[in-house]
Amino acid sequence: MADNEEDLTMPRDAKIIKSLLKSMGVEEYEPRVIHKFLELGYRYVVDVLTDAQVYSEHASKSTIDIDDVKLAIQSQVNFSFSQPPPREVLLELAQNRNKIPLPKSIAGPGFPLPPDQDTLISPNYQFAFANKRSAEPIEETEDEEAINAEPNPPQEDKTDAQQNPNQRVSFPLPKRQKD
């Protein structure tokens, strides 16, 4: 009974959307779905009619005719919607992709993951150390001296860095002074 009362107060376009959903086998949906389909339909019609009006003005016509509307619809179809590739093309692409074997997974507890070189979460940067230290020392403010209580050892003491110049390192960034 509640559906009949709701149908009486519902606009004609909303009733059409509701009957389309029902004809496609959709029985349960949120009421907002009808509003979204109405918005999509209205926006499409406005876009088509706006384009048809532009085409009519370009042809120096006083009114929009059926040819302008057909041209506007064809323009919307060409630029808004894309057709999927043919099935044969998709099958060929799938066969080519399936020829490449999957990477070997790492056995162990938790989720199996591919090797580090095959993942996007591995670090993709390295710090390069300069072999010579600059001649001029950099002056530090009192705040930076308090932050850097443990100074970095001189370059000569870093024998590991000289042996392996592609060593990965991390360091804290100094805090910026407030203006």
Side-chain angles (χ1 to χ4, degrees), residues 10 21 67 85 93 103 107-108 136 160 173:
M10 190 179 287
L21 288 171
D67 293 330
L93 288 172
E136 298 178 16
D160 291 340
L173 296 174

Side-chain angles (χ1 to χ4, degrees), residues 16-155:
I16 292 171
I17 297 291
K18 189 173 182 178
S19 66
L20 283 172
L21 288 171
K22 193 172 205 173
S23 70
M24 294 175 65
V26 179
E27 296 294 329
E28 294 183 26
Y29 51 86
E30 289 191 26
R32 293 183 297 175
V33 171
I34 293 175
H35 298 293
K36 290 296 179 183
F37 277 125
L38 285 172
E39 181 183 348
L40 177 70
Y42 290 153
R43 188 174 348 135
Y44 179 76
V45 169
V46 166
D47 288 345
V48 167
L49 291 178
T50 303
D51 289 348
Q53 183 178 11
V54 169
Y55 298 145
S56 175
E57 289 173 0
H58 181 73
S60 301
K61 296 186 231 173
S62 59
T63 59
I64 299 173
D65 61 4
I66 191 70
D67 293 330
D68 298 327
V69 174
K70 286 181 181 179
L71 184 61
I73 291 172
Q74 188 61 41
S75 174
Q76 285 286 326
V77 168
N78 288 341
F79 296 112
S80 297
F81 303 107
S82 62
Q83 297 294 324
R87 186 167 192 248
E88 295 79 24
V89 173
L90 290 176
L91 287 173
E92 183 180 339
L93 288 172
Q95 287 175 350
N96 289 337
R97 175 53 86 180
N98 290 335
K99 287 179 184 176
I100 302 170
L102 293 173
K104 295 179 183 176
S105 63
I106 300 171
F111 295 105
L113 297 174
D116 283 340
Q117 67 267 16
D118 295 335
T119 63
L120 295 175
I121 59 173
S122 63
N124 61 354
Y125 59 89
Q126 294 178 344
F127 291 106
F129 291 105
N131 290 336
K132 296 183 181 178
R133 213 170 157 187
S134 64
E136 298 178 16
I138 300 173
E139 295 182 18
E140 294 182 346
T141 63
E142 293 176 14
D143 292 338
E144 290 175 351
E145 288 175 0
I147 292 171
N148 298 328
E150 183 179 333
N152 292 332
Q155 187 70 22

